[in-house]
Structure formats: C-alpha cells, structure tokens
Amino acid sequence: MSTASIHLQGPVHDVLGVGFGPSNLALAVAVEEHNRRCAEQEQLTAGFVERQARFGWHRGMLIEGTTMQVSFLKDLVTMREPASDFSFLSYLHGKDRLVDFINHKTMFPTRVEYHDYLEWAAGRLEHLVQYDAEVIDVRPVQQGELFEVLVRHGSGQVTARRARNVVVAVGLEANLPPGAERGDRVWHNLELLHRIGELEGADPKRFTIVGAGQSAAEVTDYLHRTFTGAEVCSVFGRYGHTPADDSPFANRIFDPEAVDHFYSSPTGVKQLLMDYHRNTNYSVVDLELIEQLYARVYQEKVQGKERLRMLNASRVVDVEEGADGVAVTVEFMPTGERMVLDSDVLVYATGCLPGDPGRALGRTWDECLRDAEGQVQVDRDYRVRTSDEVRGGIYLQGGTEHTHGITSSLLSNGAVRAGDIRDSILRHRNAPRSAPRRDYALSGDPC
C-alpha cells in the first residue's frame, strides 16, 4: 500500500485504544475522570478504534434471563473510583431503576441489563471512538517515540493516526476443536442469537451442543425452552457438569492484590495458582443452572418424553454437514460405542481464546520482547517490553494470563487494570528523559 494514498487524520493522541469493548471502555472512563480533575496541560488526549459498527459486547449470547457471573460492584469504575458517575449505580439512578434494583435483592444483574449499562457508558464517550474501523498495522515513527496507526474504515479507505501510546484490547474470539469449521449448520455459541433467525419458518427436530462450561449450559437451556418440539443433545467429556467455585475465599483470586502476588510469583507457582483456581472460571457452570437442567431431565423421564439428553463422558468424532442439517457422530468414551445424531444445527460452545494482538500491531509486534517460552514480556503495569527501536508505550488488555493471572481480560479487574494503565502512561509522560522506561511503581494517578 502506498503511503502517499494514506491520509493522516487528527492530532497526536497520548492514548490510542485498539478495540472498544469493556476493557478499553473502562480505560476511556479512567482517562475522562483524570481529565476532569486536572489542569488542561495535565490532561490526556485519547481516541479509540473499534471494528464493529456500534458498541457491542457478546451480543450473540445476550440470552434473556441469563445473569452476570460477577457482582455489579465490579463495573467499569467502582473498584477504583466508588464515587464515579460512570458506576452501575449511577446508571440505575439515571434510568430511574435504582429503588427497583435494590428491591430485587441481587448482586448479579441480567446480562441484557449489564450490556445496556455498558452501552450507556459508551454512549457518553462516543466522541472518542471511531466505529466500523479496524487497525491493520502499527508503525514506530520519529525514532520510536510515536506510533503511526493504520486504520481501515468500512468504506475501504485507509487513514493513519498518531499516538504516543497504543492500548490493545481486541477481546476474545471463538475457539473451535481441532479440525472443526463453522458452516451454515455449524455455529459457535458467540453467534447464537445472530444466526437463530436463520431457522425462522423451519421446524427443527434436533440440536446438538458441544461443551461443558457455562455457555454450553446456557445454550442448551435456551434451545430447549425456545424450540419446544425439538430434541436437544448436550455432549461433553465429563460425567457431569462441574459447579463453578464462587465461594468467598476462592473469589480472592480475582482481587486486585492477587494480581500483584501472581506477577511476582515464580513460574511454577504461577502454574499452580492457575491450576488450583481454574474451577472459578473455566469449563464450569453455575450450580443453580445445573440443578435446573437436571430437574428438567428428570421431569421429562417422569412424563415419558425425553427431549433434553445429556450425553456425558462423550465426544464428537465426526461431523458431516449437508444442505439441510449436520450428522454428528458421538462416541461414548467408556465403551467406544458410537451413534449418529442427525441434527438441524450443531453448536460448538467450546470457549474463547484471547484475540491475537499481533494482527493489529503488525510490524511493531516484532519489536516486542519474548521470554524463554516465546511469550511476550509484560511489566506489572501491562506495558509490553520492547526493543530499543520503540520508545512509545504498547499496553495489553488481555493475553497476559502468563504474567498477570486469571483476571488478565476479565471484567472482575477491569476498573483497576484501566487505572493502572492510565497511571503508567502518565508516569512515563512525566518522567525525565534519562529515566528508565520500565518498571515504574504503581502509585496512583499522578495528576
């Protein structure tokens, strides 16, 4: 692509965010709060680029009635700034639902309501965001002090923006088993509500869902409730769903202090902590939903009409998609017995993986330093260690489980993580030119 055809857009930003989901939305709020309380010369200029046409957070899984698995107090701000007017409570007050929510006696709003909260916050900061725009490359310029960020817009036009710091929060992407491919009748759960309309006018007879975690259980529940004439088969390798451990002591793994502990731990201890606490977040299901599904299976046995089938200790060994359905071969692992499920739709609810920041960072990704295992090196403040060719800041929101632990990209620590990144950017900006570029202590907003 000829650089002559690229239009340089706008002023140099202190912060340019790649992606505008909850993580970078929390950063935008943190920057806004800083700018409100500082003199103009101390303020940060910020912009964000989002490839979606509008704000959206896992819209394909906004199933009516599903609830959040984290407390509303772990919103965009409260863990960092309890008095912020960007809090979930401020949102409720603005929507005239605060009293109603209090009477509801819950710490866990529905996912639909929480998404509305995120949209409300994003709408207040819409002037900072370019939607329908995707970052395709990041180039160090001016002796590495700045980054030139190439952005492809929905129109096809490519523009360039310049920034001193780039914060990458590309979110999660669908994870499929090896060899699996999506198709007309093979979906991932992230696209469930986007594609369910394709069945309008049809009379589906069977759905097959693969996966053992919360999303798989929610998809199973939704399809069973929605398509009352269809059989719904849930296939998973475990003998039964594993309940999520959300007990008070286990939840300490999500505390901000736990990030400090994890970051400073030896590699072996890091792995132990991840292994010990996988059942707080990975391939686990809320106990209440497990019990609801079991009760439904039992009642159908009583009634003699079993539509909900739990195919446990089983795995999918073959998938053949046709014009009007998909044949799913399932093996019961203890005996090796196989059966073919002729299904209208196969839904893989097999989890998500962190998006690849290298796709956005382009050539700058090659300047990021790696450890002995090939993992990118990240300081405690989420700033990536780079070669001497890069003096600007690259920050990651997500993809840092190897350094920061289980809350790397989770909502649980989003408010605090955003504050850490904002404050790091301020400290590096205010540091003497001769000062080291790395390992600044985390000590609050240096306004």
Side-chain angles (χ1 to χ4, degrees):
M1 182 183 301
S2 170
T3 54
S5 64
I6 299 173
H7 172 64
L8 187 61
Q9 186 180 45
V12 175
H13 293 291
D14 292 309
V15 186
L16 186 67
V18 180
F20 200 63
S23 292
N24 266 351
L25 173 55
L27 177 62
V29 173
V31 170
E32 171 71 11
E33 291 171 343
H34 166 82
N35 289 347
R36 287 179 182 178
R37 59 178 170 252
C38 288
E40 184 175 355
Q41 63 271 21
E42 295 294 332
Q43 293 179 2
L44 290 170
T45 57
F48 297 85
V49 177
E50 169 56 50
R51 64 182 179 180
Q52 295 187 102
R54 57 180 178 138
F55 181 86
W57 174 65
H58 296 174
R59 286 182 178 273
M61 280 296 289
L62 293 180
I63 297 172
E64 185 176 354
T66 55
T67 58
M68 298 293 295
Q69 293 176 282
V70 296
S71 166
F72 71 86
L73 293 173
K74 294 185 176 182
D75 58 19
L76 296 169
V77 292
T78 299
M79 294 285 286
R80 183 191 70 251
E81 242 358 290
S84 171
D85 64 344
F86 278 92
S87 70
F88 184 76
L89 291 180
S90 292
Y91 154 80
L92 289 173
H93 185 266
K95 295 287 186 176
D96 197 26
R97 289 203 308 270
L98 180 57
V99 172
D100 296 325
F101 186 85
I102 292 171
N103 290 337
H104 196 27
K105 296 183 179 180
T106 183
M107 297 289 287
F108 306 99
T110 65
R111 201 171 294 156
V112 169
E113 182 176 33
Y114 198 79
H115 188 277
D116 190 58
Y117 157 64
L118 295 175
E119 281 191 293
W120 168 83
R124 296 174 63 187
L125 298 171
E126 192 169 13
H127 58 286
L128 300 178
V129 192
Q130 279 189 330
Y131 289 104
D132 198 18
E134 182 177 11
V135 172
I136 57 175
D137 196 9
V138 177
R139 306 168 174 173
V141 295
Q142 294 191 9
Q143 292 76 50
E145 296 286 347
L146 298 179
F147 299 104
E148 188 168 85
V149 181
L150 300 188
V151 181
R152 180 186 292 120
H153 301 266
S155 63
Q157 180 190 23
V158 175
T159 61
R161 300 175 70 171
R162 289 194 170 185
R164 298 178 180 87
N165 299 277
V166 173
V167 183
V168 182
V170 290
L172 301 173
E173 56 190 32
N175 178 45
L176 294 174
E181 295 182 0
R182 282 183 278 192
D184 291 341
R185 297 298 181 125
V186 180
W187 307 344
H188 188 273
N189 68 274
L190 286 180
E191 55 188 346
L192 177 70
L193 297 186
H194 300 313
R195 302 197 63 177
I196 203 69
E198 297 172 18
L199 300 178
E200 186 175 354
D203 184 23
K205 302 302 181 185
R206 178 183 286 143
F207 294 92
T208 298
I209 301 97
V210 179
Q214 181 72 20
S215 293
E218 289 179 356
V219 171
T220 299
D221 171 65
Y222 168 76
L223 292 174
H224 185 262
R225 287 186 290 106
T226 303
F227 296 91
T228 56
E231 181 179 275
V232 178
C233 301
S234 178
V235 181
F236 49 94
R238 301 182 181 188
Y239 210 80
H241 286 299
T242 300
D245 185 356
D246 61 352
S247 57
F249 288 119
N251 273 342
R252 285 181 171 176
I253 194 65
F254 301 110
D255 291 354
E257 186 182 33
V259 180
D260 294 326
H261 296 157
F262 189 94
Y263 188 85
S264 61
S265 294
T267 301
V269 174
K270 284 183 168 72
Q271 189 58 55
L272 279 175
L273 290 172
M274 290 295 293
D275 292 343
Y276 285 153
H277 294 286
R278 292 192 69 82
N279 63 346
T280 61
N281 188 63
Y282 301 104
S283 297
V284 290
V285 183
D286 286 343
L287 181 58
E288 182 180 5
L289 181 54
I290 295 174
E291 292 173 339
Q292 288 174 3
L293 291 173
Y294 186 88
R296 212 172 301 170
V297 169
Y298 182 78
Q299 286 303 317
E300 289 184 351
K301 283 188 175 182
V302 171
Q303 296 163 1
K305 184 181 179 181
E306 298 179 37
R307 286 197 308 113
L308 181 54
R309 299 174 61 189
M310 295 294 180
L311 305 179
N312 56 1
S314 299
R315 62 185 175 187
V316 172
V317 294
D318 189 46
V319 174
E320 291 187 15
E321 185 176 5
D324 57 356
V326 55
V328 185
T329 303
V330 176
E331 179 183 84
F332 183 57
M333 293 187 293
T335 65
E337 180 182 359
R338 295 185 176 187
M339 62 177 168
V340 178
L341 299 174
D342 291 320
S343 309
D344 294 86
V345 173
L346 167 63
V347 181
Y348 283 112
T350 45
C352 299
L353 295 173
D356 179 9
R359 287 204 297 265
L361 288 172
R363 67 195 67 187
T364 298
W365 191 234
D366 295 332
E367 302 297 332
C368 298
L369 303 182
R370 282 7 186 233
D371 60 21
E373 284 73 42
Q375 300 266 36
V376 67
Q377 296 183 31
V378 187
D379 286 328
R380 172 59 186 86
D381 56 6
Y382 301 94
R383 183 176 170 125
V384 177
R385 296 181 181 180
T386 59
S387 71
D388 290 337
E389 301 301 313
V390 175
R391 299 193 62 82
I394 296 290
Y395 293 83
L396 296 182
Q397 297 219 62
T400 60
E401 280 192 348
H402 62 293
T403 52
H404 291 71
I406 202 167
T407 62
S408 167
S409 59
L410 299 183
L411 296 176
S412 296
N413 203 39
V416 176
R417 183 172 62 245
D420 289 346
I421 292 172
R422 175 202 62 191
D423 296 346
S424 173
I425 290 169
L426 287 166
R427 279 188 294 274
H428 280 82
R429 183 184 71 175
N430 297 334
R433 302 296 291 177
S434 59
R437 291 186 293 125
R438 305 183 182 118
D439 297 327
Y440 288 85
L442 298 176
S443 58
D445 180 354
C447 187

